[in-house]
């Protein structure tokens, strides 16, 4: 029986460089993405895993077999600011010829992929892509200025990310210290990461 030791990594201490890619198509034949949009000023990203756990009893054993699947993630992202262009890109509003953001009851948020870097205490980074999700309009708070105090009012977006139809993928992650990382990190956020095809297989 062989024995291995889990790779040691630094502790997560930060996040930055958030980018979104609008999904063009997602069918059994494949997934394509269009324009990307960078969102500076990320404060916090929270991912809550959505899982399905099923079990069966047999032979008088209460837990004879168990199955667990990753169904997706609920995402909450806090930004220092989100301009009209970001709202239009992520939430489906329209900016008219005079630069006014118009939001309507029939706006349809597009499916997007989301990428970001997570900083670790050993100076490495996790590079992350979530492949398919939609964001919803968040609450807005406007607070008056007070003498000697600044009330930072930062927008929060919430979204639901799910498996792609084409291949069931939900997330891709690589650490900058991983063996193969040096060959793929350049341009990693140009578009959602896809596994290279070699000899017809992935």
């Amino acid at each position: 029986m062989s024995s291995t030791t889990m790779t040691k990594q630094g502790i997560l201490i930060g996040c930055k460089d958030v980018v979104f890619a609008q999904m063009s198509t997602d069918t059994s034949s494949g997934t394509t993405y269009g324009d990307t949009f960078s969102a500076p000023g990320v404060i916090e990203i929270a991912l809550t895993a959505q899982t399905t756990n099923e079990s069966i009893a047999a032979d008088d054993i209460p837990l004879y077999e168990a199955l667990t699947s990753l169904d997706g993630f609920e995402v909450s992202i806090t930004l220092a600011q989100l301009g009209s262009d970001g709202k239009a890109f992520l939430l489906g509003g329209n900016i008219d010829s005079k630069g006014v953001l118009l939001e309507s009851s029939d706006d349809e948020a597009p499916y997007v992929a989301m990428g970001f870097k997570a900083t670790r205490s050993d100076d490495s980074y996790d590079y992350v892509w979530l492949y398919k999700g939609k964001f919803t309009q968040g609450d807005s708070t406007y607070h008056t200025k007070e003498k000697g105090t600044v009330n930072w009012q930062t927008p929060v977006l919430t979204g639901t990310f799910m498996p792609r139809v084409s291949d069931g993928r939900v997330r891709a992650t690589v650490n900058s210290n991983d063996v193969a990382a040096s060959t793929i990190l350049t341009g990693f956020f140009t578009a959602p990461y896809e596994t290279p095809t070699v000899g017809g297989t992935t």
Side-chain angles (χ1 to χ4, degrees):
M1 182 181 294
S2 63
S3 177
T4 58
T5 301
M6 185 182 297
T7 302
K8 183 179 179 180
Q9 289 185 323
I11 309 302
L12 288 171
I13 59 172
C15 58
K16 64 178 184 177
D17 297 345
V18 173
V19 61
F20 301 97
Q22 201 163 85
M23 176 176 279
S24 301
T25 60
D26 182 33
T27 68
S28 57
S29 299
T31 303
T32 60
Y33 297 91
D35 296 337
T36 59
F37 186 95
S38 297
V42 61
I43 296 173
E44 181 181 73
I45 299 171
L47 306 182
T48 303
Q50 303 297 306
T51 61
T52 296
N53 299 288
E54 299 287 347
S55 61
I56 188 173
D59 287 342
D60 287 340
I61 301 172
L63 186 58
Y64 183 82
E65 185 68 84
L67 296 175
T68 301
S69 64
L70 175 63
D71 300 329
F73 291 95
E74 294 297 321
V75 175
S76 175
I77 177 170
T78 304
L79 299 167
Q81 57 79 36
L82 182 66
S84 295
D85 53 352
K87 291 179 180 178
F89 188 92
L90 294 173
L91 302 174
N94 293 293
I95 299 176
D96 70 11
S97 60
K98 296 183 179 180
V100 177
L101 174 65
L102 303 174
E103 297 170 282
S104 306
S105 60
D106 58 354
D107 288 345
E108 181 66 29
Y111 284 110
V112 297
M114 184 178 85
F116 63 93
K117 288 181 186 177
T119 314
R120 290 188 177 271
S121 59
D122 59 359
D123 294 326
S124 70
Y125 294 95
D126 287 351
Y127 286 64
V128 182
W129 272 110
L130 297 173
Y131 281 112
K132 181 181 182 180
K134 275 191 178 187
F135 284 93
T136 59
Q137 186 73 255
D139 296 334
S140 299
T141 301
Y142 302 91
H143 196 290
T144 189
K145 290 182 179 179
E146 298 179 34
K147 184 178 180 180
T149 305
V150 174
N151 294 293
W152 300 105
Q153 297 150 61
T154 53
V156 179
L157 290 174
T158 58
T160 300
F161 280 75
M162 63 206 73
R164 296 195 300 195
V165 172
S166 61
D167 53 17
R169 288 182 183 166
V170 179
R171 177 171 63 175
T173 307
V174 65
N175 183 268
S176 56
N177 285 342
D178 290 344
V179 174
S182 61
T183 64
I184 61 172
L185 294 186
T186 300
F188 191 82
F189 293 118
T190 303
Y193 174 77
E194 301 292 351
T195 301
T197 300
V198 180
T201 61
T202 57

